PDB file of all heavy atoms in Angstrom:
ATOM      1  N   LEU B 173     -10.147  65.767 -36.124  1.00 73.00           N
ATOM      2  CA  LEU B 173      -9.188  64.681 -36.209  1.00 73.00           C
ATOM      3  C   LEU B 173      -8.159  64.694 -35.131  1.00 73.00           C
ATOM      4  O   LEU B 173      -7.822  63.648 -34.572  1.00 73.00           O
ATOM      5  CB  LEU B 173      -8.489  64.710 -37.588  1.00 73.00           C
ATOM      6  CG  LEU B 173      -9.376  64.393 -38.798  1.00 73.00           C
ATOM      7  CD1 LEU B 173      -8.649  64.573 -40.125  1.00 73.00           C
ATOM      8  CD2 LEU B 173      -9.898  62.973 -38.676  1.00 73.00           C
ATOM      9  N   THR B 174      -7.725  65.931 -34.777  1.00 79.00           N
ATOM     10  CA  THR B 174      -6.755  66.047 -33.660  1.00 79.00           C
ATOM     11  C   THR B 174      -7.360  65.515 -32.378  1.00 79.00           C
ATOM     12  O   THR B 174      -6.761  64.703 -31.653  1.00 79.00           O
ATOM     13  CB  THR B 174      -6.303  67.498 -33.470  1.00 79.00           C
ATOM     14  OG1 THR B 174      -5.911  67.954 -34.746  1.00 79.00           O
ATOM     15  CG2 THR B 174      -5.163  67.605 -32.505  1.00 79.00           C
ATOM     16  N   ILE B 175      -8.618  65.991 -32.124  1.00 73.00           N
ATOM     17  CA  ILE B 175      -9.259  65.568 -30.894  1.00 73.00           C
ATOM     18  C   ILE B 175      -9.414  64.051 -30.864  1.00 73.00           C
ATOM     19  O   ILE B 175      -9.091  63.395 -29.854  1.00 73.00           O
ATOM     20  CB  ILE B 175     -10.690  66.170 -30.774  1.00 73.00           C
ATOM     21  CG1 ILE B 175     -10.554  67.708 -30.569  1.00 73.00           C
ATOM     22  CG2 ILE B 175     -11.446  65.582 -29.622  1.00 73.00           C
ATOM     23  CD1 ILE B 175     -11.869  68.434 -30.582  1.00 73.00           C
ATOM     24  N   THR B 176      -9.828  63.426 -31.974  1.00 73.00           N
ATOM     25  CA  THR B 176      -9.994  61.983 -32.014  1.00 73.00           C
ATOM     26  C   THR B 176      -8.719  61.283 -31.781  1.00 73.00           C
ATOM     27  O   THR B 176      -8.672  60.328 -30.974  1.00 73.00           O
ATOM     28  CB  THR B 176     -10.532  61.548 -33.447  1.00 73.00           C
ATOM     29  OG1 THR B 176     -11.517  62.450 -33.822  1.00 73.00           O
ATOM     30  CG2 THR B 176     -11.083  60.198 -33.414  1.00 73.00           C
ATOM     31  N   ARG B 177      -7.654  61.832 -32.375  1.00 78.00           N
ATOM     32  CA  ARG B 177      -6.320  61.186 -32.131  1.00 78.00           C
ATOM     33  C   ARG B 177      -5.859  61.264 -30.707  1.00 78.00           C
ATOM     34  O   ARG B 177      -5.476  60.258 -30.118  1.00 78.00           O
ATOM     35  CB  ARG B 177      -5.301  61.822 -33.115  1.00 78.00           C
ATOM     36  CG  ARG B 177      -4.388  60.799 -33.780  1.00 78.00           C
ATOM     37  CD  ARG B 177      -3.541  61.522 -34.818  1.00 78.00           C
ATOM     38  NE  ARG B 177      -4.277  61.992 -36.004  1.00 78.00           N
ATOM     39  CZ  ARG B 177      -4.171  63.118 -36.545  1.00 78.00           C
ATOM     40  NH1 ARG B 177      -3.320  64.093 -36.035  1.00 78.00           N
ATOM     41  NH2 ARG B 177      -4.905  63.517 -37.550  1.00 78.00           N
ATOM     42  N   VAL B 178      -5.972  62.460 -30.179  1.00 80.00           N
ATOM     43  CA  VAL B 178      -5.577  62.664 -28.761  1.00 80.00           C
ATOM     44  C   VAL B 178      -6.393  61.737 -27.865  1.00 80.00           C
ATOM     45  O   VAL B 178      -5.892  61.058 -26.951  1.00 80.00           O
ATOM     46  CB  VAL B 178      -5.781  64.115 -28.354  1.00 80.00           C
ATOM     47  CG1 VAL B 178      -5.575  64.341 -26.856  1.00 80.00           C
ATOM     48  CG2 VAL B 178      -4.766  64.974 -29.064  1.00 80.00           C
ATOM     49  N   LEU B 179      -7.719  61.726 -28.148  1.00 72.00           N
ATOM     50  CA  LEU B 179      -8.576  60.913 -27.283  1.00 72.00           C
ATOM     51  C   LEU B 179      -8.267  59.431 -27.409  1.00 72.00           C
ATOM     52  O   LEU B 179      -8.253  58.715 -26.432  1.00 72.00           O
ATOM     53  CB  LEU B 179     -10.022  61.133 -27.766  1.00 72.00           C
ATOM     54  CG  LEU B 179     -11.048  60.782 -26.695  1.00 72.00           C
ATOM     55  CD1 LEU B 179     -11.231  61.912 -25.718  1.00 72.00           C
ATOM     56  CD2 LEU B 179     -12.343  60.406 -27.297  1.00 72.00           C
ATOM     57  N   SER B 180      -7.969  59.004 -28.597  1.00 75.00           N
ATOM     58  CA  SER B 180      -7.612  57.588 -28.810  1.00 75.00           C
ATOM     59  C   SER B 180      -6.377  57.251 -28.023  1.00 75.00           C
ATOM     60  O   SER B 180      -6.391  56.272 -27.182  1.00 75.00           O
ATOM     61  CB  SER B 180      -7.376  57.245 -30.242  1.00 75.00           C
ATOM     62  OG  SER B 180      -8.549  57.484 -30.964  1.00 75.00           O
ATOM     63  N   VAL B 181      -5.315  58.001 -28.222  1.00 82.00           N
ATOM     64  CA  VAL B 181      -4.032  57.699 -27.630  1.00 82.00           C
ATOM     65  C   VAL B 181      -4.145  57.866 -26.070  1.00 82.00           C
ATOM     66  O   VAL B 181      -3.835  56.978 -25.259  1.00 82.00           O
ATOM     67  CB  VAL B 181      -2.888  58.593 -28.177  1.00 82.00           C
ATOM     68  CG1 VAL B 181      -1.602  58.280 -27.437  1.00 82.00           C
ATOM     69  CG2 VAL B 181      -2.720  58.267 -29.662  1.00 82.00           C
ATOM     70  N   GLY B 182      -4.630  59.075 -25.667  1.00 80.00           N
ATOM     71  CA  GLY B 182      -4.766  59.424 -24.238  1.00 80.00           C
ATOM     72  C   GLY B 182      -5.706  58.475 -23.553  1.00 80.00           C
ATOM     73  O   GLY B 182      -5.419  57.967 -22.461  1.00 80.00           O
TER      74      GLY B 182
END
Side-chain angles (χ1 to χ4, degrees):
Chain B
L173 288 175
T174 309
I175 293 173
T176 316
R177 221 172 291 134
V178 168
L179 200 84
S180 298
V181 176

